[in-house]
């Protein structure tokens, strides 16, 4: 079995590669990643020397290079994690989101058709459903909730999902789509809420909470997401969408306070800053379908997952310090400098 994983030098793709190589030592895993600011080869260092692993520094929008990888490696399954993934950056510059997230998906699906893969899996997001009001805790996203996007990021992911469904209907490409809630865990790039707050708190820097901090996200430990994708690519039904989430809704401000207390810091570090444009209020997944059809349930409780995550950042300071002291510094200045 050969699985081609795109975006494997990023947060979830990297965790997925570690998970799969441990669980299926006989599988060949081919990683395609062009190493944007969010891609980090250090994440893949533990598997780099494994004879069943191969890395290609290729952009998924590069049709010729992608064709060459497919023709050389002949993957059975493709799992597409590669994406521009940060909402704030999509507000700053939408263009690259459309290129990677939409055109990149098309290029991968064209190659998947040509080389007749048995499964093309699109890693999507619950953000394609837009948001839910805070005063309706009875509402959840199901797979039939209409697409209703808010940011250029979520719009680009939704466009890709529609294209994936079109390739299924029109060309019978054997596709599946998963839409997961917010992930957290090791190797998470420190521009996202949880790792940013851990890194800032450890450096006694202000903790920038957007708006009032009342926004709700549904947090899932990254390994539970990886396990769900493993189940979908092996046992999921072609043409289907699966929502992934663990009913773990939390307000941003509460997450930040948990991190502050776990690190023994003062809540005085918390700084309320101007809100994100178009900021989604609440995400909440109904995971009934994947539970019923594939038996998936989350295994890591938030209180354990956040402890493990904080410990990982304490143990791997060099991984994130290199990031926050590099080019990312300029982004941080632009985003938070006079906010
Ligand atoms: P990430 O930003 O950490 O990693 C993205 C990876 O893709 C990086 O290694 C980057 O170098 C690579 N990449 C970007 N553009 C590329 C291109 N044109 N060609 C090749 N490689 C390219 O993202 P993540 O958080 O790991 O998210 C992975 C996927 O999961 C994305 O599709 C995202 O939409 C989806 N998702 C993320 C979350 C979350 O909470 N992070 C939740 C649900 C779904
Ligand atoms: P983020 O990690 O960017 O994920 P997403 O926007 O895809 O859900 O943000 C999670 C939540 O945290 C979101 O409501 C925005 C908020 N947030 C802050 O309050 N401060 C920050 O510095 C960041 C990065 C996010």
């Amino acid at each position: 079995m050969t699985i081609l994983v795109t975006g494997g030098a990023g947060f979830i793709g990297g965790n997925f590669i570690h998970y799969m190589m441990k669980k299926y030592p006989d599988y060949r895993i081919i990683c395609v990643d062009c190493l944007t600011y969010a891609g980090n080869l250090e994440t893949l260092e533990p598997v780099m020397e494994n004879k069943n692993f191969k890395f290609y520094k290729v952009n998924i929008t590069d049709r010729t290079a992608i064709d060459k990888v497919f023709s050389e490696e002949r993957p059975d399954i493709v799992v597409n994690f590669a994406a521009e993934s940060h909402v704030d950056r999509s507000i700053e510059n939408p263009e690259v989101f459309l290129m990677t997230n939409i055109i990149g998906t098309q290029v991968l699906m064209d190659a998947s058709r040509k080389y007749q893969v048995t499964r093309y899996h699109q890693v999507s997001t619950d953000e394609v459903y837009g948001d839910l009001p805070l005063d309706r805790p009875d509402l959840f996203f199901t797979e039939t909730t209409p697409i209703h996007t808010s940011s250029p990021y979520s719009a680009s992911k939704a466009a890709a999902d529609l294209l994936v469904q079109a390739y299924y209907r029109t060309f019978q490409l054997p596709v599946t789509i998963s839409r997961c809630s917010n992930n957290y865990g090791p190797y998470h790039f420190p521009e996202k809420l949880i790792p940013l707050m851990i890194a800032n708190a450890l450096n006694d820097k202000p903790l920038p909470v957007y708006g009032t901090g009342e926004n709700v996200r549904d947090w899932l430990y990254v390994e539970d997401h990886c396990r769900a994708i493993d189940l979908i690519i092996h046992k999921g039904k072609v043409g289907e969408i699966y929502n992934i989430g663990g009913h773990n809704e939390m307000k941003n401000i509460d997450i930040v306070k948990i991190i502050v207390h776990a690190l023994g810091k003062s809540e005085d570090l918390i700084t309320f800053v101007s809100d994100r444009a178009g900021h989604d209020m609440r995400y909440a997944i109904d995971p009934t379908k994947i539970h019923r059809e594939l038996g998936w349930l989350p295994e890591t409780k938030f209180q354990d997952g956040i402890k493990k995550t904080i410990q990982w950042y304490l143990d791997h300071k060099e991984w994130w310090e290199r990031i926050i002291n590099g080019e990312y510094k300029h982004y941080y200045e632009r985003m938070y400098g006079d906010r």
Side-chain angles (χ1 to χ4, degrees):
M1 172 74 78
T2 298
I3 304 188
L4 189 147
V5 176
T6 70
F11 166 45
I12 310 175
N15 275 283
F16 182 73
I17 288 174
H18 293 309
Y19 176 89
M20 294 298 280
M21 297 213 66
K22 202 164 153 204
K23 181 157 177 199
Y24 305 101
D26 296 338
Y27 282 18
R28 290 178 66 238
I29 304 281
I30 310 300
C31 175
V32 168
D33 197 301
C34 71
L35 302 178
T36 65
Y37 77 93
N40 189 342
L41 269 190
E42 282 178 50
T43 299
L44 293 173
E45 210 179 78
V47 295
M48 257 330 178
E49 298 302 316
N50 189 312
K51 64 174 181 10
N52 281 337
F53 178 77
K54 204 160 163 191
F55 179 81
Y56 286 88
K57 185 176 181 306
V58 163
N59 193 310
I60 58 164
T61 62
D62 182 341
R63 201 169 275 280
T64 313
I66 287 294
D67 189 279
K68 194 154 173 277
V69 174
F70 274 69
S71 102
E72 276 168 21
E73 301 296 345
R74 300 292 170 141
D76 300 291
I77 296 176
V78 174
V79 185
N80 180 24
F81 290 94
E84 287 292 335
S85 69
H86 193 37
V87 173
D88 294 324
R89 287 186 192 252
S90 81
I91 295 167
E92 212 186 27
N93 176 21
E95 179 101 9
V96 66
F97 285 73
L98 309 194
M99 287 309 298
T100 289
N101 299 1
I102 306 173
I103 304 298
T105 297
Q106 187 218 356
V107 168
L108 289 171
M109 288 197 296
D110 284 342
S112 298
R113 279 184 72 205
K114 179 170 169 191
Y115 292 95
Q116 299 184 330
V117 304
T118 57
R119 179 69 63 88
Y120 174 87
H121 182 72
Q122 178 74 0
V123 180
S124 185
T125 164
D126 62 353
E127 299 192 28
V128 301
Y129 299 122
D131 64 350
L132 297 164
L134 288 183
D135 61 358
R136 289 293 309 272
D138 56 314
L139 295 181
F140 296 92
F141 298 137
T142 71
E143 288 78 2
T144 54
T145 299
I147 299 277
H148 185 80
T149 55
S150 314
S151 69
Y153 162 67
S154 56
S156 68
K157 293 294 290 185
D161 282 11
L162 294 177
L163 205 56
V164 173
Q165 289 177 296
Y167 270 56
Y168 171 59
R169 166 116 183 208
T170 306
F171 305 120
Q172 292 80 50
L173 182 70
V175 306
T176 38
I177 296 174
S178 55
R179 294 177 176 156
C180 191
S181 58
N182 286 61
N183 286 210
Y184 68 100
Y187 302 112
H188 204 178
F189 194 88
E191 68 187 345
K192 304 281 170 64
L193 179 75
I194 289 182
L196 185 144
M197 296 300 165
I198 296 173
N200 280 18
L202 285 172
N203 288 328
D204 295 306
K205 283 177 64 178
L207 307 177
V209 174
Y210 298 168
T212 59
E214 295 297 303
N215 306 63
V216 168
R217 297 292 183 265
D218 184 358
W219 294 94
L220 184 73
Y221 192 61
V222 62
E223 202 175 273
D224 281 324
H225 186 185
C226 296
R227 203 162 34 79
I229 294 175
D230 176 19
L231 275 173
I232 294 168
I233 60 177
H234 287 101
K235 298 193 179 130
K237 205 167 145 226
V238 164
E240 293 290 312
I241 296 168
Y242 294 91
N243 282 357
I244 309 169
H247 281 304
N248 183 55
E249 290 176 52
M250 297 185 72
K251 286 183 193 167
N252 293 341
I253 186 68
D254 293 337
I255 297 262
V256 176
K257 284 183 182 167
I258 288 172
I259 292 169
V260 165
H261 296 151
L263 292 173
K265 301 289 180 178
S266 161
E267 284 191 15
D268 293 345
L269 287 176
I270 296 174
T271 312
F272 292 95
V273 299
S274 60
D275 210 352
R276 170 187 281 173
H279 199 172
D280 280 338
M281 281 319 298
R282 170 175 170 251
Y283 301 146
I285 283 273
D286 175 353
T288 307
K289 178 174 172 178
I290 190 166
H291 175 54
R292 196 184 53 230
E293 292 187 12
L294 303 178
W296 179 88
L297 277 178
E299 285 178 1
T300 301
K301 291 199 182 71
F302 187 78
Q303 68 256 39
D304 301 328
I306 194 72
K307 260 194 219 141
K308 278 202 268 186
T309 303
I310 291 174
Q311 194 56 49
W312 189 88
Y313 280 86
L314 286 167
D315 295 341
H316 295 82
K317 274 194 173 165
E318 69 300 341
W319 183 90
W320 55 268
E321 274 175 352
R322 257 200 281 280
I323 294 171
I324 61 177
N325 293 324
E327 204 198 313
Y328 172 68
K329 242 186 179 156
H330 304 298
Y331 165 84
Y332 196 89
E333 258 315 301
R334 278 203 318 277
M335 195 56 70
Y336 297 97
D338 54 1
R339 192 160 183 157

